[in-house]
């Protein structure tokens, strides 16, 4: 599943050096880091509002869509700063290993 993050990152890297009018990501790079950070903030707020809406009985698809927008713009931010999803995924894996949850999840449930 995390393969899509890596493949998307490859596309984001390929957008570097392209003309701003050629693509949305290229236009974001040309507008600069502050514009990208503004988009991350905007998408975070939209995700929070969608979560509140779902909690109040709204359409769950809007939360999925806003979360995808947030993750996407976060990947653009990382790419702009010459990093990608791999170190973030590695950090999550490290924390998961530290918690011992990976072992617990693969162990059969005991009734005692
Ligand atoms: N996953 C995405 C993706 N998610 C969201 N978006 C864009 O993010 C923007 C967010 O919507 P908004 O309404 O908030 O933004 P906006 O009004 O268009 O822009 P602003 O004027 O607010 O800056 C929309 O233009 C969406 O199209 C994305 N644009 C591109 N991708 C991926 O990135 C790849 C490269 O994209 P291009 O650079 O456009 O070729 C594509 O192949 C896709 O896989």
């Amino acid at each position: 599943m995390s393969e899509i993050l890596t493949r998307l990152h490859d596309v984001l890297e390929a957008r570097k050096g392209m003309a701003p009018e050629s693509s949305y990501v290229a236009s974001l790079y040309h507008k600069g880091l502050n514009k990208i950070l503004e988009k991350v903030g905007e998408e975070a707020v939209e995700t929070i509002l969608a979560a509140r809406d779902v909690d109040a009985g709204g359409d769950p698809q809007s939360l999925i869509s806003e979360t995808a927008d947030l993750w996407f713009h976060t990947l653009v931010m990382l790419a702009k700063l010459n990093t990608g999803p791999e170190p973030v995924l590695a950090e999550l894996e490290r924390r998961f290993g530290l918690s011992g949850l990976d072992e617990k999840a693969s162990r059969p449930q005991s009734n005692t």
Side-chain angles (χ1 to χ4, degrees):
M1 191 64 109
S2 62
E3 192 196 330
I4 184 60
L5 298 180
T6 309
R7 289 171 64 197
L8 181 52
H9 174 68
D10 290 344
V11 173
L12 300 183
E13 281 296 318
R15 293 290 183 265
K16 288 182 178 174
M18 284 178 53
E21 57 278 7
S22 65
S23 98
Y24 175 69
V25 174
S27 77
L28 277 182
Y29 287 145
H30 279 263
K31 285 173 186 165
L33 181 63
N34 281 348
K35 176 64 185 181
I36 295 167
L37 298 180
E38 189 186 297
K39 292 301 295 181
V40 171
E42 197 180 298
E43 300 303 346
V45 171
E46 285 172 13
T47 301
I48 291 167
L49 294 177
R52 287 203 172 280
D53 188 53
V54 169
D55 192 48
D59 178 11
Q61 185 56 41
S62 65
L63 178 58
I64 291 165
S65 178
E66 294 302 345
T67 304
D69 278 354
L70 176 60
W71 288 16
F72 165 72
H73 284 91
T74 303
L75 284 175
V76 177
M77 175 192 73
L78 291 174
K80 174 72 178 168
L81 296 170
N82 298 313
T83 186
E86 295 297 346
V88 180
L89 294 171
E91 176 64 13
L92 287 173
E93 278 193 24
R94 187 187 70 78
R95 292 178 190 181
F96 193 61
L98 284 179
S99 72
L101 275 175
D102 53 345
E103 284 174 36
K104 284 178 202 154
S106 61
R107 240 184 268 146
Q109 287 277 321
S110 158
N111 290 328
T112 55

Coordinates of all heavy atoms in Angstrom, one line a residue, residues 6-84:
T6 N 5.6 6.2 -2.6 CA 6.9 6.2 -3.3 C 6.7 6.6 -4.8 O 7.5 7.4 -5.3 CB 7.6 4.9 -3.1 OG1 7.6 4.5 -1.7 CG2 9.0 4.9 -3.6
R7 N 5.7 6.0 -5.4 CA 5.5 6.2 -6.8 C 5.1 7.7 -7.1 O 5.5 8.3 -8.0 CB 4.5 5.3 -7.4 CG 5.0 3.8 -7.5 CD 4.0 2.8 -7.9 NE 3.4 3.1 -9.2 CZ 2.2 2.6 -9.6 NH1 1.5 1.8 -8.9 NH2 1.8 2.9 -10.8
L8 N 4.2 8.2 -6.2 CA 3.8 9.6 -6.3 C 5.0 10.5 -6.0 O 5.2 11.5 -6.8 CB 2.7 9.8 -5.3 CG 2.1 11.2 -5.2 CD1 1.6 11.7 -6.6 CD2 0.9 11.3 -4.2
H9 N 5.8 10.2 -5.1 CA 7.0 11.0 -4.8 C 7.9 11.0 -6.1 O 8.5 12.1 -6.4 CB 7.8 10.4 -3.6 CG 9.1 11.1 -3.4 ND1 9.2 12.4 -2.9 CD2 10.4 10.7 -3.6 CE1 10.5 12.7 -2.8 NE2 11.2 11.7 -3.3
D10 N 8.1 9.9 -6.8 CA 8.9 9.9 -8.0 C 8.3 10.9 -9.0 O 9.0 11.7 -9.7 CB 8.9 8.5 -8.6 CG 9.7 7.5 -7.8 OD1 10.5 8.0 -6.9 OD2 9.6 6.3 -8.0
V11 N 6.9 11.0 -9.1 CA 6.3 11.9 -10.0 C 6.6 13.4 -9.6 O 6.9 14.3 -10.4 CB 4.8 11.7 -10.1 CG1 4.1 12.8 -10.9 CG2 4.5 10.3 -10.8
L12 N 6.5 13.6 -8.2 CA 6.7 14.9 -7.7 C 8.2 15.4 -8.0 O 8.4 16.5 -8.3 CB 6.4 14.9 -6.2 CG 5.0 14.6 -5.7 CD1 4.9 14.7 -4.2 CD2 4.0 15.4 -6.4
E13 N 9.1 14.4 -7.9 CA 10.5 14.8 -8.2 C 10.7 15.2 -9.6 O 11.4 16.1 -10.0 CB 11.4 13.6 -7.8 CG 11.7 13.4 -6.4 CD 12.5 14.6 -5.8 OE1 13.4 15.1 -6.5 OE2 12.2 15.1 -4.7
A14 N 10.0 14.4 -10.5 CA 10.0 14.7 -12.0 C 9.5 16.0 -12.3 O 9.8 16.6 -13.4 CB 9.3 13.5 -12.7
R15 N 8.6 16.6 -11.5 CA 8.0 17.9 -11.8 C 9.0 19.0 -11.5 O 8.8 20.2 -12.0 CB 6.7 18.1 -10.9 CG 5.6 17.2 -11.3 CD 5.0 17.6 -12.6 NE 3.8 16.8 -12.9 CZ 3.9 15.6 -13.7 NH1 5.0 15.2 -14.1 NH2 2.8 15.0 -13.9
K16 N 10.1 18.8 -10.8 CA 11.0 19.8 -10.5 C 11.7 20.3 -11.8 O 12.1 19.4 -12.6 CB 12.1 19.3 -9.5 CG 11.5 19.1 -8.1 CD 12.6 18.7 -7.1 CE 12.0 18.6 -5.7 NZ 13.0 18.0 -4.8
G17 N 11.8 21.5 -12.0 CA 12.5 22.1 -13.2 C 11.5 22.2 -14.4 O 11.9 22.7 -15.4
M18 N 10.2 21.8 -14.1 CA 9.3 22.0 -15.2 C 8.6 23.4 -15.2 O 8.6 24.0 -14.1 CB 8.2 20.9 -15.2 CG 8.7 19.5 -15.7 SD 7.5 18.2 -15.5 CE 6.1 18.8 -16.4
A19 N 8.1 23.8 -16.3 CA 7.5 25.2 -16.3 C 6.2 25.2 -15.5 O 5.5 24.2 -15.4 CB 7.1 25.5 -17.8
P20 N 6.0 26.3 -14.8 CA 4.8 26.4 -13.8 C 3.5 26.1 -14.5 O 2.6 25.5 -13.8 CB 4.9 27.8 -13.3 CG 5.9 28.5 -14.1 CD 6.8 27.5 -14.7
E21 N 3.4 26.5 -15.7 CA 2.1 26.3 -16.4 C 1.9 24.9 -16.9 O 0.8 24.5 -17.3 CB 1.9 27.3 -17.6 CG 3.0 27.3 -18.7 CD 4.2 28.1 -18.3 OE1 4.4 28.6 -17.2 OE2 5.1 28.2 -19.2
S22 N 2.9 24.1 -16.7 CA 2.8 22.7 -17.3 C 2.1 21.7 -16.3 O 1.5 20.7 -16.8 CB 4.2 22.1 -17.6 OG 4.9 22.0 -16.4
S23 N 2.0 22.0 -15.0 CA 1.3 21.1 -14.1 C 1.1 21.8 -12.7 O 1.7 22.8 -12.4 CB 2.1 19.9 -13.9 OG 2.9 19.9 -12.7
Y24 N 0.1 21.3 -12.0 CA -0.2 21.9 -10.7 C 1.0 21.8 -9.7 O 1.3 22.8 -9.1 CB -1.4 21.1 -10.1 CG -1.7 21.5 -8.7 CD1 -2.3 22.8 -8.4 CD2 -1.5 20.7 -7.6 CE1 -2.6 23.2 -7.1 CE2 -1.8 21.1 -6.3 CZ -2.3 22.4 -6.1 OH -2.6 22.8 -4.8
V25 N 1.7 20.7 -9.7 CA 2.8 20.5 -8.8 C 3.9 21.5 -9.2 O 4.5 22.1 -8.3 CB 3.3 19.1 -8.7 CG1 4.6 18.9 -7.9 CG2 2.2 18.2 -8.2
A26 N 4.2 21.6 -10.5 CA 5.2 22.5 -11.0 C 4.9 23.9 -10.6 O 5.8 24.7 -10.2 CB 5.4 22.4 -12.5
S27 N 3.6 24.3 -10.6 CA 3.2 25.6 -10.3 C 3.4 25.9 -8.8 O 3.8 27.0 -8.4 CB 1.7 25.9 -10.7 OG 0.8 25.3 -9.8
L28 N 3.2 24.8 -8.0 CA 3.4 25.0 -6.5 C 4.9 25.2 -6.2 O 5.2 26.1 -5.4 CB 2.9 23.8 -5.7 CG 1.4 23.6 -5.4 CD1 1.2 22.4 -4.6 CD2 0.9 24.8 -4.6
Y29 N 5.7 24.4 -6.9 CA 7.2 24.6 -6.6 C 7.6 26.0 -7.0 O 8.4 26.7 -6.3 CB 8.0 23.7 -7.5 CG 8.0 22.2 -7.1 CD1 8.0 21.2 -8.1 CD2 8.0 21.8 -5.8 CE1 8.0 19.8 -7.7 CE2 8.0 20.5 -5.4 CZ 8.0 19.5 -6.4 OH 8.0 18.2 -6.0
H30 N 7.0 26.6 -8.1 CA 7.4 27.9 -8.5 C 6.9 29.0 -7.6 O 7.6 30.0 -7.4 CB 6.9 28.2 -10.0 CG 7.9 27.6 -11.0 ND1 8.8 28.3 -11.7 CD2 8.0 26.3 -11.5 CE1 9.5 27.5 -12.5 NE2 9.0 26.3 -12.4
K31 N 5.8 28.7 -7.0 CA 5.3 29.7 -6.0 C 6.1 29.7 -4.7 O 6.1 30.6 -3.9 CB 3.8 29.4 -5.7 CG 2.9 29.8 -6.8 CD 1.4 29.4 -6.6 CE 0.6 29.7 -7.9 NZ -0.7 29.0 -7.8
G32 N 6.8 28.6 -4.4 CA 7.7 28.5 -3.3 C 7.2 27.8 -2.1 O 6.0 27.4 -2.0
L33 N 8.1 27.6 -1.1 CA 7.8 26.8 0.1 C 6.6 27.4 0.9 O 5.7 26.7 1.4 CB 9.0 26.7 1.0 CG 8.8 25.9 2.3 CD1 8.5 24.5 2.0 CD2 10.0 26.0 3.2
N34 N 6.5 28.8 1.0 CA 5.5 29.4 1.8 C 4.1 29.0 1.2 O 3.2 28.7 2.0 CB 5.6 30.9 1.9 CG 6.6 31.3 2.9 OD1 7.1 30.4 3.7 ND2 7.1 32.5 2.9
K35 N 3.9 29.0 -0.1 CA 2.7 28.6 -0.7 C 2.3 27.2 -0.4 O 1.2 26.8 -0.1 CB 2.7 28.9 -2.2 CG 1.5 28.5 -3.0 CD 0.3 29.3 -2.6 CE -1.0 28.8 -3.3 NZ -2.2 29.6 -2.9
I36 N 3.4 26.3 -0.5 CA 3.1 24.9 -0.2 C 2.7 24.7 1.3 O 1.8 23.9 1.6 CB 4.4 24.1 -0.5 CG1 4.7 24.1 -2.0 CG2 4.3 22.6 -0.1 CD1 6.1 23.6 -2.4
L37 N 3.4 25.4 2.2 CA 3.0 25.3 3.6 C 1.6 25.8 3.8 O 0.8 25.3 4.7 CB 4.0 26.1 4.5 CG 5.4 25.6 4.4 CD1 6.3 26.4 5.3 CD2 5.5 24.1 4.8
E38 N 1.2 26.9 3.1 CA -0.1 27.5 3.2 C -1.2 26.4 2.8 O -2.2 26.2 3.4 CB -0.2 28.7 2.2 CG -1.4 29.5 2.3 CD -1.4 30.5 1.2 OE1 -0.5 31.4 1.2 OE2 -2.3 30.5 0.4
K39 N -0.8 25.6 1.7 CA -1.7 24.6 1.2 C -1.8 23.5 2.3 O -2.9 22.9 2.5 CB -1.3 24.0 -0.1 CG -1.3 24.9 -1.3 CD -2.7 25.4 -1.6 CE -3.7 24.4 -2.0 NZ -5.1 25.0 -2.3
V40 N -0.7 23.1 2.9 CA -0.7 22.0 3.9 C -1.7 22.5 5.1 O -2.5 21.7 5.5 CB 0.7 21.7 4.5 CG1 0.6 20.8 5.7 CG2 1.5 21.1 3.4
G41 N -1.5 23.8 5.5 CA -2.4 24.3 6.6 C -3.9 24.3 6.2 O -4.7 23.9 6.9
E42 N -4.1 24.8 4.9 CA -5.5 24.8 4.4 C -6.1 23.4 4.4 O -7.3 23.2 4.8 CB -5.4 25.4 3.0 CG -6.6 25.9 2.4 CD -6.3 26.4 1.0 OE1 -5.5 27.4 0.8 OE2 -6.8 25.9 0.0
E43 N -5.3 22.5 3.9 CA -5.9 21.1 3.8 C -6.1 20.5 5.1 O -7.0 19.7 5.3 CB -5.0 20.2 2.9 CG -4.8 20.7 1.4 CD -6.1 20.9 0.6 OE1 -7.1 20.4 1.1 OE2 -6.0 21.6 -0.4
A44 N -5.2 20.8 6.1 CA -5.4 20.3 7.5 C -6.7 20.8 8.1 O -7.4 20.0 8.7 CB -4.2 20.7 8.3
V45 N -7.0 22.1 7.9 CA -8.2 22.7 8.4 C -9.4 22.0 7.7 O -10.4 21.6 8.4 CB -8.2 24.2 8.2 CG1 -9.6 24.8 8.5 CG2 -7.1 24.9 9.1
E46 N -9.3 21.8 6.4 CA -10.4 21.2 5.6 C -10.7 19.8 6.1 O -11.8 19.3 6.2 CB -10.2 21.3 4.1 CG -10.4 22.7 3.6 CD -10.0 22.9 2.1 OE1 -9.8 21.9 1.4 OE2 -10.0 24.0 1.7
T47 N -9.6 19.1 6.5 CA -9.7 17.7 7.0 C -10.4 17.7 8.3 O -11.3 16.9 8.6 CB -8.3 17.1 7.1 OG1 -7.7 17.1 5.8 CG2 -8.4 15.6 7.6
I48 N -10.0 18.6 9.2 CA -10.6 18.7 10.5 C -12.2 19.0 10.4 O -13.0 18.4 11.0 CB -10.0 19.9 11.4 CG1 -8.6 19.4 11.7 CG2 -10.8 20.2 12.6 CD1 -7.7 20.6 12.3
L49 N -12.5 19.9 9.5 CA -13.9 20.3 9.3 C -14.7 19.1 8.7 O -15.8 18.8 9.1 CB -14.0 21.5 8.3 CG -13.5 22.8 8.9 CD1 -13.6 23.9 7.8 CD2 -14.2 23.2 10.1
A50 N -14.0 18.3 7.8 CA -14.7 17.1 7.2 C -14.9 16.1 8.3 O -15.9 15.4 8.4 CB -13.9 16.6 6.1
A51 N -13.9 15.9 9.2 CA -14.0 14.9 10.3 C -15.2 15.3 11.2 O -16.0 14.4 11.6 CB -12.7 14.9 11.1
R52 N -15.3 16.6 11.5 CA -16.5 17.1 12.4 C -17.8 16.8 11.7 O -18.8 16.4 12.3 CB -16.4 18.6 12.6 CG -15.3 18.9 13.6 CD -15.6 20.3 14.3 NE -14.6 20.6 15.3 CZ -14.7 20.0 16.6 NH1 -15.7 19.2 16.9 NH2 -13.9 20.3 17.5
D53 N -17.8 17.0 10.3 CA -19.0 16.8 9.6 C -19.4 15.3 9.6 O -20.6 15.0 9.7 CB -18.8 17.3 8.1 CG -20.0 17.3 7.3 OD1 -21.0 17.9 7.8 OD2 -20.0 16.7 6.2
V54 N -18.4 14.4 9.4 CA -18.7 13.0 9.4 C -19.2 12.6 10.8 O -20.2 11.8 10.9 CB -17.4 12.2 9.1 CG1 -17.6 10.7 9.3 CG2 -17.0 12.4 7.6
D55 N -18.6 13.1 11.8 CA -19.1 12.8 13.2 C -20.5 13.2 13.4 O -21.3 12.6 14.2 CB -18.2 13.5 14.2 CG -18.4 13.0 15.6 OD1 -18.4 11.8 15.8 OD2 -18.6 13.8 16.5
A56 N -21.0 14.3 12.6 CA -22.3 14.8 12.8 C -23.3 14.1 11.7 O -24.4 14.5 11.5 CB -22.4 16.3 12.6
G57 N -22.8 13.0 11.1 CA -23.6 12.2 10.2 C -23.4 12.5 8.7 O -24.2 12.1 7.9
G58 N -22.4 13.3 8.4 CA -22.1 13.7 7.0 C -21.5 12.6 6.2 O -21.2 11.5 6.7
D59 N -21.2 12.9 4.9 CA -20.6 12.0 4.0 C -19.2 11.6 4.3 O -18.3 12.5 4.3 CB -20.7 12.6 2.6 CG -20.1 11.7 1.5 OD1 -19.9 10.5 1.8 OD2 -20.0 12.2 0.4
P60 N -18.9 10.3 4.6 CA -17.5 9.9 5.0 C -16.5 10.1 3.8 O -15.4 10.2 4.0 CB -17.7 8.4 5.3 CG -19.1 8.1 5.3 CD -19.9 9.2 4.7
Q61 N -17.1 10.1 2.6 CA -16.2 10.3 1.4 C -15.4 11.6 1.4 O -14.3 11.7 1.0 CB -17.0 10.1 0.1 CG -16.1 10.1 -1.2 CD -15.0 9.1 -1.2 OE1 -15.3 8.0 -0.8 NE2 -13.8 9.5 -1.6
S62 N -16.1 12.6 2.0 CA -15.5 14.0 2.0 C -14.2 13.9 2.9 O -13.2 14.6 2.6 CB -16.4 15.0 2.5 OG -16.8 14.8 3.9
L63 N -14.3 13.1 4.0 CA -13.1 13.0 4.9 C -12.0 12.3 4.2 O -10.8 12.7 4.3 CB -13.5 12.3 6.2 CG -12.4 12.0 7.2 CD1 -11.7 13.4 7.6 CD2 -12.9 11.3 8.4
I64 N -12.3 11.3 3.4 CA -11.3 10.5 2.7 C -10.6 11.4 1.7 O -9.4 11.5 1.5 CB -11.9 9.3 2.0 CG1 -12.3 8.3 3.1 CG2 -11.0 8.7 1.0 CD1 -13.2 7.2 2.6
S65 N -11.4 12.2 1.0 CA -10.9 13.1 -0.1 C -10.0 14.2 0.5 O -9.0 14.5 0.0 CB -12.2 13.7 -0.8 OG -11.8 14.6 -1.7
E66 N -10.5 14.8 1.6 CA -9.7 15.9 2.3 C -8.4 15.3 2.9 O -7.3 16.0 2.8 CB -10.5 16.6 3.4 CG -11.7 17.4 2.9 CD -11.4 18.4 1.9 OE1 -10.2 18.8 1.7 OE2 -12.3 18.9 1.3
T67 N -8.5 14.1 3.4 CA -7.2 13.4 4.0 C -6.2 13.2 2.8 O -5.0 13.4 3.0 CB -7.6 12.1 4.7 OG1 -8.5 12.4 5.7 CG2 -6.3 11.5 5.4
A68 N -6.8 12.7 1.7 CA -5.9 12.5 0.5 C -5.2 13.8 0.1 O -4.0 13.9 -0.2 CB -6.7 11.9 -0.6
D69 N -6.0 14.9 0.1 CA -5.5 16.2 -0.3 C -4.3 16.6 0.7 O -3.3 17.2 0.3 CB -6.5 17.3 -0.2 CG -7.4 17.4 -1.5 OD1 -7.1 16.7 -2.4 OD2 -8.4 18.1 -1.5
L70 N -4.6 16.4 2.0 CA -3.6 16.7 3.0 C -2.3 15.9 2.8 O -1.2 16.4 2.9 CB -4.2 16.5 4.4 CG -3.3 16.7 5.6 CD1 -2.7 18.1 5.6 CD2 -4.0 16.4 6.9
W71 N -2.5 14.6 2.7 CA -1.3 13.7 2.5 C -0.5 14.1 1.2 O 0.7 14.2 1.2 CB -1.7 12.2 2.4 CG -2.2 11.6 3.7 CD1 -2.5 12.3 4.8 CD2 -2.3 10.2 4.0 NE1 -3.0 11.4 5.8 CE2 -2.8 10.1 5.3 CE3 -2.2 9.1 3.2 CZ2 -3.1 8.9 5.9 CZ3 -2.5 7.9 3.8 CH2 -2.9 7.8 5.1
F72 N -1.3 14.4 0.2 CA -0.6 14.8 -1.1 C 0.2 16.1 -0.9 O 1.4 16.1 -1.3 CB -1.7 15.0 -2.2 CG -1.2 15.8 -3.4 CD1 -0.3 15.1 -4.3 CD2 -1.6 17.1 -3.6 CE1 0.2 15.8 -5.4 CE2 -1.1 17.8 -4.7 CZ -0.2 17.1 -5.6
H73 N -0.4 17.1 -0.3 CA 0.4 18.4 -0.1 C 1.5 18.2 0.9 O 2.5 18.9 0.7 CB -0.6 19.5 0.3 CG -1.4 20.0 -0.9 ND1 -2.7 19.5 -1.2 CD2 -1.2 20.9 -1.8 CE1 -3.1 20.1 -2.3 NE2 -2.2 21.0 -2.7
T74 N 1.4 17.3 1.8 CA 2.5 17.0 2.7 C 3.7 16.4 1.9 O 4.8 16.7 2.2 CB 2.0 16.0 3.8 OG1 1.0 16.6 4.5 CG2 3.2 15.8 4.8
L75 N 3.3 15.5 1.0 CA 4.4 14.9 0.1 C 5.1 16.0 -0.7 O 6.3 15.9 -1.0 CB 3.8 13.8 -0.8 CG 3.5 12.5 -0.1 CD1 2.8 11.6 -1.1 CD2 4.7 11.8 0.4
V76 N 4.3 17.0 -1.2 CA 4.9 18.1 -2.0 C 5.8 18.8 -1.1 O 6.9 19.2 -1.6 CB 3.8 19.0 -2.6 CG1 4.4 20.2 -3.4 CG2 2.8 18.2 -3.6
M77 N 5.4 19.1 0.1 CA 6.3 19.8 1.1 C 7.6 19.0 1.3 O 8.7 19.7 1.2 CB 5.5 20.0 2.4 CG 6.4 20.6 3.5 SD 5.5 20.4 5.1 CE 5.7 18.7 5.5
L78 N 7.5 17.7 1.5 CA 8.7 16.9 1.7 C 9.6 17.0 0.5 O 10.8 17.1 0.6 CB 8.4 15.5 2.1 CG 7.7 15.3 3.4 CD1 7.3 13.8 3.6 CD2 8.6 15.6 4.6
A79 N 9.0 16.8 -0.7 CA 9.8 16.8 -2.0 C 10.5 18.2 -2.2 O 11.6 18.2 -2.6 CB 8.9 16.5 -3.1
K80 N 9.8 19.2 -1.8 CA 10.4 20.6 -2.0 C 11.6 20.7 -1.1 O 12.6 21.4 -1.5 CB 9.3 21.7 -1.6 CG 9.8 23.1 -1.5 CD 10.1 23.6 -2.9 CE 10.5 25.1 -2.8 NZ 11.1 25.6 -4.1
L81 N 11.6 20.0 0.0 CA 12.7 20.0 1.0 C 13.7 18.9 0.8 O 14.4 18.5 1.7 CB 12.2 20.1 2.4 CG 11.4 21.4 2.7 CD1 10.7 21.3 4.0 CD2 12.3 22.6 2.7
N82 N 13.6 18.3 -0.4 CA 14.5 17.2 -0.9 C 14.4 16.0 0.0 O 15.5 15.3 0.3 CB 15.9 17.7 -1.0 CG 16.0 18.8 -2.1 OD1 15.5 18.6 -3.2 ND2 16.6 19.9 -1.7
T83 N 13.2 15.7 0.5 CA 13.1 14.4 1.2 C 11.8 13.7 0.7 O 11.1 14.3 -0.2 CB 13.1 14.5 2.7 OG1 13.1 13.2 3.3 CG2 11.9 15.3 3.2
G84 N 11.5 12.5 1.1 CA 10.4 11.8 0.6 C 9.7 11.0 1.7 O 9.9 11.2 2.9

